[in-house]
Amino acid sequence: MTERLKVAVLGAAGRMGRTVVEAVESAEDLELVARVDADGDLSAVTDAGAQVAVDFTVPSVTEANVHTLVDAGVHVVVGTTGWDDAALGRVRDHLVHAPAVGVLVAPNFALGAVLTMAFAAQAARWFESVEVVELHHPDKVDAPSGTARHTAAGIAAARAAAGVGPSPDATSQQIEGARGADVDGVRVHAVRLRGLVAHEEVLLGNPGEMLTIRHDSFDRISFMPGVLLGVRQVARHPGLTVGLEHLLDLGGRR
Ligand SMILES: NC(=O)c1ccc[n+]([C@@H]2O[C@H](COP(=O)([O-])OP(=O)(O)OC[C@H]3O[C@@H](n4cnc5c(N)ncnc54)[C@H](O)[C@@H]3O)[C@@H](O)[C@H]2O)c1
Ligand SMILES: O=C(O)C1=N[C@H](C(=O)O)CCC1
């Protein structure tokens, strides 16, 4: 019988962590060897011989977790959001000293969300206006969502490469925040509403027409095929990979 891949889950008591624990336990080729939450210690990961750690913790601790795990030679699949380019750069630099280790940071593991980002980047070259609206449950601590930030970055890169200018906007007077956040020149609006899980709309406008690309995660189970794909593949992708699209052969920013 082939050896099962040994997996640790960080943030194991959280909403995503609990779902990942179940998904790993249900996968015949994976073995859950450690669950760590805020009251635990990261040494449990290496003590248990984990080959891959999955991090669904909180933005304030995830980067430190990744550096510790890289030093221990453990591959990491990160779903925790709140990352910026500086933090990603520090991980990229750190990985130079651990060239066999793979770290995958993916703001969204749902296939439909990954496709939404790819479709939005493609469409944004052809529309004068584009804005992003993300809608989440009110227990979420970061805004805008990691998905919306990645979506906006992909849109901005595609528009810059195609020589498309900024979306027109005559606003000269506003209550602060009314036009949302500026992410790489793209307006991003965050809604927090009880009953929601994770949703995103990309609105694209041209004279006389509008295209809406929308994705809805109704249940955290939607993220599990992507998380398990990341767990199985991360060791084959040494260095830092940002976004699940790179494991799905969809292209985009690395
Ligand atoms: N990439 C994706 O597809 C995706 C999907 C859903 C959520 N998320 C992100 O995942 C993260 C977690 O979301 P959630 O809804 O599960 O949050 P949550 O608050 O339910 O869970 C976070 C858990 O992390 C634990 N934690 C805090 N500090 C820790 C530490 N130092 N070590 C270990 N555990 C620690 C908390 O106790 C908690 O149990 C968020 O950043 C969210 O945006 C990403
Ligand atoms: O529930 C959350 O929190 C989610 N966060 C991610 C984000 O910030 O993009 C992905 C969807 C769920």
Side-chain angles (χ1 to χ4, degrees):
M1 198 184 129
T2 346
E3 285 263 305
R4 291 188 294 166
L5 190 62
K6 293 181 168 51
V7 181
V9 177
L10 315 183
R15 288 175 288 269
M16 283 298 292
R18 292 193 302 269
T19 317
V20 174
V21 162
E22 275 179 33
V24 170
E25 285 182 327
S26 305
E28 287 184 357
D29 58 330
L30 307 178
E31 181 185 359
L32 182 76
V33 295
R35 311 166 192 224
V36 181
D37 206 80
D39 53 355
D41 197 285
L42 266 191
S43 57
V45 174
T46 39
D47 290 352
Q51 295 155 288
V52 178
V54 182
D55 184 307
F56 278 99
T57 57
V58 287
S60 55
V61 305
T62 183
E63 186 192 345
N65 285 348
V66 170
H67 288 290
T68 304
L69 292 162
V70 167
D71 281 336
V74 178
H75 306 288
V76 199
V77 173
V78 182
T80 312
T81 48
W83 289 80
D84 59 20
D85 285 344
L88 292 169
R90 287 189 290 272
V91 170
R92 200 174 274 117
D93 290 347
H94 191 169
L95 282 162
V96 170
H97 306 290
V101 176
V103 175
L104 168 66
V105 178
N108 203 310
F109 284 99
L111 178 61
V114 177
L115 290 172
T116 294
M117 291 185 255
F119 296 157
Q122 201 174 8
R125 295 178 299 155
W126 303 104
F127 285 82
E128 207 179 314
S129 299
V130 56
E131 302 213 1
V132 177
V133 185
E134 56 94 333
L135 310 90
H136 281 82
H137 60 89
D139 304 312
K140 182 167 180 55
V141 297
D142 55 320
S145 71
T147 309
R149 291 168 72 162
H150 200 58
T151 305
I155 287 170
R159 282 167 81 88
V164 180
S167 297
D169 182 1
T171 309
S172 59
Q173 191 185 328
Q174 65 168 311
I175 295 176
E176 199 190 330
R179 292 288 294 115
D182 179 334
V183 180
D184 294 347
V186 178
R187 288 281 152 195
V188 177
H189 310 268
V191 176
R192 296 291 174 263
L193 210 66
R194 185 63 71 203
L196 296 182
V197 177
H199 315 259
E200 182 174 88
E201 276 189 6
V202 181
L203 312 176
L204 300 121
N206 263 343
E209 67 167 333
M210 172 171 161
L211 170 65
T212 304
I213 305 172
R214 180 172 172 118
H215 175 257
D216 298 278
S217 272
F218 300 116
D219 192 296
R220 291 180 177 83
I221 199 80
S222 61
F223 305 114
M224 293 308 112
V227 172
L228 296 188
L229 176 74
V231 167
R232 291 176 178 125
Q233 296 263 321
V234 66
R236 287 178 224 162
H237 296 266
L240 176 66
T241 302
V242 181
L244 189 68
E245 59 273 23
H246 301 291
L247 273 53
L248 298 173
D249 203 18
L250 290 175
R253 291 190 336 146
R254 246 181 112 78

